Amino acid sequence: MNVVVFGSTGSTGRLVVESALSAGHVVTAFVRDPKRMPLTHPNLRIVEGDAMDAASVASAVQGADAVICTLGMVPQAKEDLRSTPARCPGLLGGSQEHSGRHASRPGPTHR
């Protein structure tokens, strides 16, 4: 299966990438800064982009069987990504353009 992971340089995202690779999947790690991705693997493709940019997202998810979003709160930011549709229109718009399916992510249990 071809899997795209957003937020793959964070602690949860890295675990998702490692798990998907261990299961034999081909993984595309969508990252803002490729230097922050410490993992290497023959089935790992690193794509630099911005989750706010629908065109970057659309390009990354083309041909994907699954899209996993582990984007979360950035400690130094004044706002976080609790509301994916409001904060990351590129992620939902770009992924739906190619799949026609709804993309979602688990949110925090508290606000």
Side-chain angles (χ1 to χ4, degrees), residues 29-70:
F30 189 91
V31 301
R32 280 183 297 182
D33 181 4
K35 294 175 193 166
R36 291 193 58 217
M37 175 49 79
L39 305 175
T40 58
H41 191 280
N43 287 342
L44 176 62
R45 181 178 86 135
I46 299 172
V47 173
E48 183 176 1
D50 181 353
M52 298 289 284
D53 178 45
S56 293
V57 171
S59 177
V61 301
Q62 189 169 15
D65 298 308
V67 176
I68 301 171
C69 180
T70 63

Side-chain angles (χ1 to χ4, degrees), residues 6 51 53-64 66-67 84-85 88-105:
F6 290 87
D53 178 45
S56 293
V57 171
S59 177
V61 301
Q62 189 169 15
V67 176
T84 301
C88 279
L91 181 57
L92 290 177
S95 62
Q96 287 177 344
E97 178 180 318
H98 286 282
S99 70
R101 292 173 284 190
H102 178 70
S104 64
R105 72 168 183 87

